[in-house]
Amino acid sequence: MIGAAAGAAGAALAGAHPAAADVTATAAARPAAPGVPPGTPPVLVTEQASKRLLLLDPRRRVWDPAADPAVVRWQFSPLGDPRYQDLRPDVSWVYPCEAKVRLHRKRTLVLTTASFGFVAAVEYPSGRRYWGTALGPGDDLFNPHSAELLPDGNVAVACSTGALVRVYAASLGPDAGRYAEDHLKGAHGLHWDRARRVLWALGDDELVAYAVGGTAARPALTRTSAVALPVAVPGRTAGGHDLFPVAGRPGRLWVTTNAGVLQYDKRTGGFVRDYAGHELVDRASVKAVGNDPRTGQVLSTVPEKGLEQTWWTTQVTVHRPTAAYTLVKGGIYKARWWLPR
């Protein structure tokens, strides 16, 4: 996902929402919109039109931050934030394309990347920098597309245009630059598997498992296995895109390709479409997918025609039951349930 510079960004607000506690309390006091299951978690989106990560109120089906700021429970942008100045966010934070929440030693971290070079692990809710780097800031020669936190505090990064997976020694400090790397064509997605202690990486044509060795200060990355992705049209690339754990089913991974939405069964080593709701969830060009184990809902994002960029959408689709969230004047790329793990 690349492109020309985006239109005028929204307000450059860094770190926590200026009234995060008040906003959450206000939102909690409101009744949920009809059809929203009790216990639905907040939704974290990469909002490229305003160059922000937004954590949004799941009780509202329409999110209009300009008219109702309370729909935003938290937001992040490194623009204008001195803690990220060395990463040149004015040129590296152009298209935020990943956001996922992780827990590490009693801290909540949001892993984020942007296509023009920005990568960071951001503490929630302070916005403080746990670690960050910029890969070729201002161009898409690397195109960092996903990141993942490892148990030792290091951070893995997948770069699609750069065709590589890196593990940075982020445990050494906020600007640690040492890394190990391996080549992976079209690297798009990453997931750390606690049970098997491997780093899964999704590329254009294969799902790869890596062993992460060495030490925290000097990591090593070794490919241990790979499985080819299903191809919808012979001779075409599968186009692996999103990789995410199936919540509540540790033996499975969500995998999206150009053609559809699959689950990978680690035990059998095969790709299946036997999950609940597959007849609606399984469709082409899905940029992000994930499920909430408590309510059974599945969310996903698919590009919407007529927006400034061909990969944007204003909607987060929900399945089981079928519904949608709409971000007014939005340019969403990915969406995730807020499920710290």
Side-chain angles (χ1 to χ4, degrees):
M1 183 273 305
I2 59 175
L13 298 174
H17 190 281
D22 294 338
V23 165
T24 302
T26 301
R30 297 178 178 179
V36 178
T40 298
V43 181
L44 179 66
V45 304
T46 57
E47 209 296 280
Q48 297 186 353
S50 61
K51 300 184 181 181
R52 294 179 292 172
L53 305 185
L54 297 177
L55 183 63
L56 296 162
D57 185 355
R59 300 164 182 262
R60 309 270 71 79
R61 286 301 189 195
V62 176
W63 298 314
D64 188 349
D68 183 8
V71 299
V72 179
R73 295 193 173 185
W74 178 79
Q75 60 184 306
F76 171 79
S77 169
L79 295 171
D81 189 330
R83 297 171 294 187
Y84 299 90
Q85 184 176 0
D86 61 307
L87 304 186
R88 299 181 62 196
D90 56 319
V91 294
S92 64
W93 179 259
V94 177
Y95 294 116
C97 57
E98 178 65 287
K100 60 176 69 168
V101 59
R102 295 290 184 260
L103 300 177
H104 179 64
R105 297 177 182 173
K106 299 182 179 181
R107 284 188 286 187
T108 301
L109 301 177
V110 175
L111 280 293
T112 188
T113 65
S115 295
F116 277 38
F118 188 96
V119 186
V122 177
E123 288 191 10
Y124 169 88
S126 69
R128 186 180 300 114
R129 174 174 166 178
Y130 169 79
W131 172 81
T133 192
L135 288 77
D139 61 48
D140 62 348
L141 295 178
F142 288 92
N143 199 354
H145 216 83
S146 188
E148 180 62 293
L149 183 70
L150 305 183
D152 60 5
N154 287 345
V155 174
V157 181
C159 297
S160 58
T161 309
L164 56 85
V165 174
R166 284 182 176 175
V167 173
Y168 280 87
S171 57
L172 295 180
D175 58 355
R178 184 180 296 155
Y179 61 83
E181 73 173 35
D182 188 55
H183 179 270
L184 177 61
K185 179 188 173 187
H188 262 75
L190 293 169
H191 170 63
W192 173 255
D193 189 326
R194 294 176 181 172
R196 298 180 179 236
R197 298 195 63 78
V198 298
L199 177 67
W200 295 99
L202 184 68
D204 277 346
D205 305 300
E206 57 187 344
L207 176 64
V208 177
Y210 287 102
V212 181
T215 65
R218 295 184 178 276
L221 194 60
T222 305
R223 180 184 290 221
T224 58
S225 66
V227 58
L229 299 178
V231 178
V233 179
R236 299 277 187 91
T237 182
H241 198 280
D242 196 30
L243 177 66
F244 213 66
V246 178
R249 299 194 68 175
R252 291 204 174 185
L253 299 171
W254 289 106
V255 174
T256 75
T257 68
N258 288 341
V261 180
L262 312 166
Q263 287 188 356
Y264 177 70
D265 189 320
K266 302 175 194 176
R267 183 181 60 84
T268 65
F271 294 93
V272 298
R273 286 184 166 92
D274 62 355
Y275 55 87
H278 69 90
E279 64 280 356
L280 296 175
V281 177
D282 182 19
R283 59 211 195 283
S285 302
V286 171
K287 300 303 183 184
V289 65
N291 66 298
D292 171 31
R294 180 177 176 182
T295 64
Q297 296 173 96
V298 177
L299 61 64
S300 59
T301 56
V302 176
E304 178 183 336
K305 292 182 179 179
L307 300 182
E308 182 177 328
Q309 301 297 346
T310 59
W311 55 82
W312 286 5
T313 182
T314 62
Q315 293 198 334
V316 176
T317 305
V318 180
H319 311 275
R320 309 184 65 227
T322 300
Y325 293 104
T326 300
L327 179 63
V328 176
K329 297 182 180 179
I332 297 171
Y333 187 59
K334 287 182 181 177
R336 308 286 191 198
W337 294 121
W338 183 261
L339 297 171
R341 60 181 300 278

